[in-house]
Amino acid sequence: MDTRLTAEQDGIRRALRELLHKRCGSPELRAAVDTPAGHDPLLWSALAEQLGLPGLALPERYGGVGCSVTELALACEETGRVLAPSPLLATAVLAAPLILALGTEAQRAELLPRLAAGTLTAALAVPGPALATALALTGGNGEFSAGGGRAGGVQARRVAGAWLLYGQVDQVLDGHSAGLLVVAAHTGGFARSRTCLFLVAGDAEGVVRDRRTALDATRPQGRVQLRDVRAELLGEEDTDALPALAGLGDGLAVVLACEAVGAADRVLERTVEYVGQREQFGRPVGSFQAVKHRLADVYVGVQAARSAAYYAAWATTHASGDAGGTGGPVGGLALAQALEALRRAAAEGVQLHGGIGFTWEHDAHLYFKRAAGDELLFGPVHRLRDRAAETAGLFMGAEVAV
């Protein structure tokens, strides 16, 4: 494994950091999250038109750049540094790979160029609490069902040759604003029960959406209600959605890990800068040995998480010789380590900023909420590690000492 960045990768990072420095400071971030959509459409247009970010990991024949998940993860490390509120995660990391993997050629040709250009945003409508299960991040998704009969979820049925969806999905990332919904729905009744994915236009008749309050305001979530909405099956009649969802989890974990590393690195930078300026007893707080030790521990954690995330990105890209490979348990492990590093860096940042660190006006709480919010959606950390151990076959057939 060559840990050096290529000239192309370094160029993507530098160009993206420069753009975000100009367009996504703290005032712009707070203004964006307070809008109905939860993101700045002008920033999204700039990311799409100037850098081609939504199509970074899509093939060139569909209007993409043709890079791998590694480049996308490195880009998300930069967006994570500033907690950039954008449809990137929902559109480019969750929805687009599913359309690429499962869609018919007609569906790909119609949708992927628009997603790559940023003119169409998309969201994966899987209930938030079940998202980690559906993507096989915290356990196998063989038992995952998008609908639970009377218990809720989304049901799909065929009427006069057309698919109709009925149900409700909560905690959908960008579900309130996305132009296209990729909806997981249950069909086939009890005897032939299965989960399928369907394409639904955001403004289709019978779709009711609203933004919900989320712990992490920089990751806006919506509630999607479907009332006999006409939908198009993603792929063919015999398409099995569960393996594709499980495969998607590997790439998602890598991207989230790099994003968390970027956020942890930035909050550490800000904390180090602050303790070097703030004085107590006539000397900078950062000169006290106890503070140095605490920040050194955070630094080691961030660098270890970065190494794990970069290795997971490399492994996921190269495991099968192409961008569609699977890196096994390394993605989940890297995500667990990165979320842990971000949580610790954010917590130390809040404390070492003193009284100002607890205020709404300071950004420290936004990083802490990002760590907590990601664990709620994609974790928790201990279950990510349990899944990695299970996938790697650790402890199987071994006796556990009591």
Side-chain angles (χ1 to χ4, degrees):
M1 173 185 173
D2 187 353
T3 59
R4 294 172 298 179
L5 298 182
T6 65
E8 182 182 33
Q9 291 169 342
D10 188 54
I12 291 172
R13 291 185 61 179
R14 285 189 290 105
L16 184 54
R17 182 173 295 194
E18 181 180 348
L19 175 63
L20 292 173
H21 178 72
K22 295 178 180 177
R23 304 287 295 270
C24 196
S26 181
E28 292 83 3
L29 168 62
R30 291 172 181 270
V33 299
D34 287 337
T35 62
H39 67 267
D40 181 4
L42 295 179
L43 174 62
W44 177 244
S45 297
L47 292 173
E49 295 170 6
Q50 297 181 29
L51 301 176
L53 203 57
L56 195 61
L58 289 176
E60 294 183 30
R61 66 179 181 275
Y62 296 121
V65 180
C67 294
S68 69
V69 69
T70 300
E71 286 72 28
L72 183 58
L74 290 173
C76 286
E77 183 179 351
E78 296 303 317
T79 62
R81 284 178 58 87
V82 295
L83 304 181
S86 77
L88 182 64
L89 183 67
T91 299
V93 185
L94 287 172
L98 287 174
I99 296 173
L100 179 63
L102 299 179
T104 63
E105 187 55 39
Q107 289 170 337
R108 293 174 184 170
E110 177 189 358
L111 298 174
L112 290 179
R114 296 163 62 195
L115 293 173
T119 57
L120 176 67
T121 58
L124 175 61
V126 173
L131 186 58
T133 301
L135 300 178
L137 290 173
T138 56
N141 69 352
E143 301 300 320
F144 168 74
S145 176
R150 294 181 179 179
V154 179
Q155 304 290 327
R157 57 192 179 94
R158 297 199 71 162
V159 178
W163 285 101
L164 298 180
L165 304 185
Y166 190 95
Q168 176 174 309
V169 192
D170 294 313
Q171 295 178 265
V172 179
L173 291 175
D174 292 317
H176 60 295
S177 62
L180 175 70
L181 299 173
V182 181
V183 183
H186 174 267
T187 186
F190 179 79
R192 303 174 61 186
S193 173
R194 67 189 182 114
T195 295
C196 297
L197 295 176
F198 295 87
L199 301 173
V200 177
D203 58 356
E205 184 179 355
V207 176
V208 179
R209 304 186 292 174
D210 60 288
R211 185 177 176 182
R212 312 300 291 171
T213 300
L215 174 64
D216 179 11
T218 65
R219 283 213 201 281
Q221 300 177 13
R223 177 177 62 187
V224 179
Q225 295 176 314
L226 306 162
R227 298 294 180 259
D228 286 333
V229 176
R230 295 178 67 90
E232 178 184 356
L233 180 67
L234 179 60
E236 306 291 350
E237 290 289 337
D238 58 348
T239 298
D240 189 357
L242 292 183
L245 286 169
L248 176 64
D250 293 327
L252 173 67
V254 167
V255 169
L256 288 171
C258 284
E259 192 183 66
V261 166
D265 189 54
R266 180 56 183 152
V267 75
L268 175 60
E269 286 179 2
R270 296 183 64 168
T271 305
V272 170
E273 180 182 1
Y274 181 78
V275 298
Q277 298 171 351
R278 178 187 170 200
E279 291 190 358
Q280 254 186 354
F281 308 112
R283 54 188 289 196
V285 172
S287 66
F288 293 111
Q289 191 174 36
V291 174
K292 290 180 179 180
H293 286 174
R294 290 169 66 174
L295 290 176
D297 288 342
V298 172
Y299 176 80
V300 170
V302 172
Q303 294 305 316
R306 175 176 280 118
S307 296
Y310 284 6
Y311 173 73
W314 177 87
T316 300
T317 301
H318 293 86
S320 296
D322 56 29
T326 172
V330 294
L333 277 176
L335 177 56
Q337 190 163 353
L339 289 179
E340 204 168 56
L342 174 55
R343 183 175 58 193
R344 182 170 187 181
E348 293 287 7
V350 170
Q351 285 211 338
L352 293 178
H353 272 84
I356 193 175
F358 290 85
T359 63
W360 186 260
E361 290 74 21
H362 199 275
D363 291 342
H365 70 96
L366 297 177
Y367 288 90
F368 190 84
K369 289 175 180 177
R370 169 59 65 89
D374 276 5
E375 274 207 68
L376 289 173
L377 279 174
F378 308 108
V381 165
H382 71 276
R383 293 195 61 190
L384 289 168
R385 287 182 170 140
D386 285 347
R387 173 59 177 168
E390 178 187 355
T391 304
L394 299 180
F395 314 124
M396 294 184 63
E399 295 184 2
V400 179
V402 179

